Amino acid sequence: NAGVTQTPKFRILKIGQSMTLQCTQDMNHNYMYWYRQDPGMGLKLIYYSVGAGITDKGEVPNGYNVSRSTTEDFPLRLELAAPSQTSVYFCASSYLQGANGYTFGSGTRLTVV
Amino acid sequence: SQELEQSPQSLIVQEGKNLTINCTSSKTLYGLYWYKQKYGEGLIFLMMLQKGGEEKSHEKITAKLDEKKQQSSLHITASQPSHAGIYLCGADITGNQFYFGTGTSLTVIP
């Protein structure tokens, strides 16, 4: 049982480049989330999904896109990377929203130069 | 504005000392969660509190949700270097979105 798997763990992008952060969970959780964590700012919700085919914006969605074609996968897309997107990104999942806590991936450290 | 305020922002304690971290909301909390994050790693779920006055313990960590359900405290007894990391509270405040606190960085000096 792998839980929530995120790839890659580290990435350096040039301004204007695009990339996809992958997130997969094998717990059959309905809810999946993408957060970014900036120093001193805690975790901010980017996008979330309540099930396959359904996504919604969180607090800081600008510059990102997501899709949820399957229950297991919830990739996060950065189309035109900007230095402001330098952060640590965490994917999480839960069976019900907030119930029994979230299961988090190990994070992706992204630097945009 | 931050929905959940944590205090202190950082804490440095000598091994063996007790410490308390607070998490405060201006609104009623529909479930309060505590997580621990080791530096550079993902978050680990510690415990969840739902009822006003509820208190839970896990090893040397105790968390309590106050009666009005707007504040929670996390208390560590006889701290050890293994307790070092970032502690985050999380809560469903509005009923449909989950928020995290700003985090408390804990350093335990051997």
Side-chain angles (χ1 to χ4, degrees), chain B residues 53-102:
Chain B
E54 185 176 8
E55 184 173 309
K56 286 188 178 178
S57 294
H58 175 68
E59 297 179 344
K60 293 185 178 181
I61 300 176
T62 301
K64 184 173 183 179
L65 183 62
D66 79 356
E67 293 292 338
K68 294 182 179 179
K69 296 176 68 176
Q70 288 190 261
Q71 184 177 46
S72 178
S73 59
L74 184 84
H75 184 77
I76 298 178
T77 304
S79 58
Q80 301 170 354
S82 61
H83 287 128
I86 299 172
Y87 289 82
L88 287 126
C89 62
D92 181 354
I93 297 173
T94 63
N96 62 7
Q97 190 163 324
F98 197 83
Y99 291 88
F100 284 92
T102 49

Side-chain angles (χ1 to χ4, degrees), chain A residues 41-44, chain B residues 1-5 24 26 99-102:
Chain A
M41 297 296 290
L43 287 157
K44 295 289 187 181
Chain B
S1 66
Q2 192 68 32
E3 301 290 347
L4 288 173
E5 294 286 345
T24 303
S26 58
Y99 291 88
F100 284 92
T102 49

Side-chain angles (χ1 to χ4, degrees), chain B residues 19-79:
Chain B
L19 62 106
T20 299
I21 298 168
N22 294 302
C23 176
T24 303
S25 169
S26 58
K27 301 175 184 176
T28 300
L29 300 170
Y30 296 92
L32 190 288
Y33 302 79
W34 282 100
Y35 296 85
K36 179 186 175 185
Q37 182 184 25
K38 289 194 172 181
Y39 297 104
E41 298 181 13
L43 280 72
I44 299 169
F45 170 72
L46 294 176
M47 56 190 85
M48 175 185 71
L49 305 164
Q50 284 190 305
K51 299 176 184 177
E54 185 176 8
E55 184 173 309
K56 286 188 178 178
S57 294
H58 175 68
E59 297 179 344
K60 293 185 178 181
I61 300 176
T62 301
K64 184 173 183 179
L65 183 62
D66 79 356
E67 293 292 338
K68 294 182 179 179
K69 296 176 68 176
Q70 288 190 261
Q71 184 177 46
S72 178
S73 59
L74 184 84
H75 184 77
I76 298 178
T77 304
S79 58

